[in-house]
Amino acid sequence: MEHILALNPGSTSTKIAVFEGETPLFIETIRHTAEELDGFEHVTDQYEFRKNLVLECLSTHGIALNMLDAVVSRGGLLAPIHAGAYTVNEDMIWQLRCRPQQEHASNVGALIAHAIAEPLGINAYIYDGVTVDELTEINRVTGLPEFHRKGIGHNLNTRAAAMRYAREQGRDYRNITVIVAHLGGGISVNLHHKGRIVDFISDDEGPFSPERAGGLPVFDVIHKCFRDGETDAGMMKLVKRQSGLMAHLGTTDCQEIEARIDRGDEYARLVYDAMALQIAKNIAKCAPVVSGQVDAILITGGIAHSRRITDEITSRVRFLAPVMIYAGEDEMQSLVLGCLRVLRGQEQAQTYVRAEDPIAYRGGTYETT
């Protein structure tokens, strides 16, 4: 039975798991304090710190490195890639160290995976990375030629949900059409059609969420930047960490907000219902891409545990297609299942090629050479 180490670095944690086939031997989340991370200027500077924690964790759980058959990590902010597995290679390591699309905690994952795997003579992989971008050309076009819509977001969890739906229906993922909404700290919606994520509403253009602003009136954003002298870093912090439920209600805790609603807080009810409505509206925006021919709508992510939210969304979108709730985001299992498909010959790992400009667009496809 295959033994796989899975890694998922987040902004304030590192998730570590070892699976024997589909069965977890352990899953652990190591939390990082602000004080521990403040000394690192760049995310990739955390490499040694996080790698040592991974090795200590394996030792604590009695996992010998030589029992591993593969290592798999959440993918970082690479140039646009296809869905599925990629072998971690020198081009990928260079991209994440030198020219990632953005600073992101997941950038360090592949570096650690490769460092552990290489001395063992086994492969390290990423699976369904953050920058999976398979949008059709018509879905890339915006009102300014220099701006193009992209597919950056919750690809790992949404694609796992779509493949789970296909499996439960006894169908091939390549023959279904589903809209998947990921509800977490950020919220995104994407459209899976015949084995490809053909449209993607990312968390910077879609619904507001517990901590993100989502799509905003662009004229007002421009005025604010120039009127208030906002910096790039300041605006990014505002729209990514200080907006949404946090800005309106002072918390990102949905359970707390629902308790406030139950106690009669009408403003909390208004904001919470508005978030649900925006999710529903963005789900519906995907339907015209396939002329409304949708097999199902899937709602996943941590907030999908809330019946209040999922019932509200379902009541507004069930006219399009049946709604399925896949609450939570089991990213560790999703990584391992993807890796197992490669090890068992059901999928072939792809080769990453470095991109001097990871967001360059040349019409028809993003440049990755």
Side-chain angles (χ1 to χ4, degrees), residues 151-177:
I152 295 178
H154 307 103
N155 295 294
L156 178 61
N157 190 45
T158 57
R159 193 161 175 265
M163 288 191 285
R164 174 182 169 183
Y165 169 81
R167 188 167 60 249
E168 291 177 352
Q169 300 298 312
R171 300 174 63 184
D172 192 307
Y173 170 68
R174 293 167 294 184
N175 294 322
I176 64 168
T177 300

Side-chain angles (χ1 to χ4, degrees), residues 23 28 64 69 82 87 107 111 139 157 159 178 182 185 191 208 233 242 261 267 287 305 307 325 333 355 357 359:
T23 304
E28 184 168 330
D69 295 292
H82 294 288
T87 304
N107 290 352
L111 307 183
N139 284 314
N157 190 45
R159 193 161 175 265
V178 294
H182 173 95
L191 175 66
F208 70 83
Q242 300 174 340
I261 294 170
Y267 185 64
H305 286 290
R307 283 290 302 274
I325 310 299
Q333 184 181 51
D357 182 351
I359 58 173

Side-chain angles (χ1 to χ4, degrees), residues 44-123:
T44 51
D45 295 339
Q46 300 171 15
Y47 161 72
E48 287 288 348
F49 167 71
R50 296 209 193 211
K51 183 186 76 170
N52 289 336
L53 289 173
V54 171
L55 294 174
E56 289 172 12
C57 181
L58 293 175
S59 177
T60 298
H61 287 276
I63 302 295
L65 293 180
N66 61 9
M67 70 184 285
L68 299 176
D69 295 292
V71 186
V72 62
S73 174
R74 182 184 183 194
L77 271 290
L78 299 162
I81 57 176
H82 294 288
Y86 279 79
T87 304
V88 180
N89 60 12
E90 292 301 326
D91 275 14
M92 184 181 295
I93 291 171
W94 177 89
Q95 194 81 67
L96 294 170
R97 283 194 180 278
C98 303
R99 294 188 186 171
Q101 285 204 46
Q102 300 173 32
E103 285 277 304
H104 195 276
S106 61
N107 290 352
V108 79
L111 307 183
I112 298 171
H114 182 263
I116 293 173
E118 186 177 40
L120 300 173
I122 60 177
N123 284 330

Side-chain angles (χ1 to χ4, degrees), residues 96-301:
L96 294 170
R97 283 194 180 278
C98 303
R99 294 188 186 171
Q101 285 204 46
Q102 300 173 32
E103 285 277 304
H104 195 276
S106 61
N107 290 352
V108 79
L111 307 183
I112 298 171
H114 182 263
I116 293 173
E118 186 177 40
L120 300 173
I122 60 177
N123 284 330
Y125 302 99
I126 64 167
Y127 197 85
D128 283 347
V130 179
T131 56
V132 168
D133 188 340
E134 301 178 325
L135 270 64
T136 52
E137 187 66 7
I138 195 171
N139 284 314
R140 297 192 188 279
V141 180
T142 74
L144 283 174
E146 61 265 41
F147 292 156
H148 297 87
R149 298 182 65 247
K150 295 180 286 186
I152 295 178
H154 307 103
N155 295 294
L156 178 61
N157 190 45
T158 57
R159 193 161 175 265
M163 288 191 285
R164 174 182 169 183
Y165 169 81
R167 188 167 60 249
E168 291 177 352
Q169 300 298 312
R171 300 174 63 184
D172 192 307
Y173 170 68
R174 293 167 294 184
N175 294 322
I176 64 168
T177 300
V178 294
I179 299 170
V180 188
H182 173 95
L183 314 186
I187 294 174
S188 63
V189 182
N190 55 27
L191 175 66
H192 300 244
H193 179 59
K194 296 185 177 179
R196 177 177 174 182
I197 304 174
V198 298
D199 196 13
F200 199 111
I201 300 172
S202 61
D203 58 13
D204 67 337
E205 63 175 348
F208 70 83
S209 71
E211 58 185 10
R212 298 183 189 171
L216 295 169
V218 67
F219 294 172
D220 292 340
V221 174
I222 293 170
H223 293 325
K224 175 175 176 57
C225 289
F226 284 91
R227 182 188 67 234
D228 299 342
E230 296 283 359
T231 64
D232 180 277
M235 282 300 294
M236 290 298 287
K237 183 177 181 181
L238 175 65
V239 300
K240 291 181 70 175
R241 294 288 179 258
Q242 300 174 340
S243 297
L245 298 181
M246 174 58 76
H248 283 282
L249 303 173
T251 182
T252 61
D253 188 331
C254 291
Q255 290 183 326
E256 177 186 334
I257 293 170
E258 292 187 10
R260 285 162 60 172
I261 294 170
D262 291 338
R263 292 194 298 266
D265 187 331
E266 289 303 317
Y267 185 64
R269 182 188 302 276
L270 172 65
V271 172
Y272 210 53
D273 287 349
M275 185 175 76
L277 176 59
Q278 287 198 9
I279 296 166
K281 289 165 71 174
N282 279 274
I283 288 171
K285 282 170 65 174
C286 290
V289 177
V290 288
S291 301
Q293 301 301 303
V294 179
D295 294 315
I297 295 163
L298 315 181
I299 302 177
T300 186

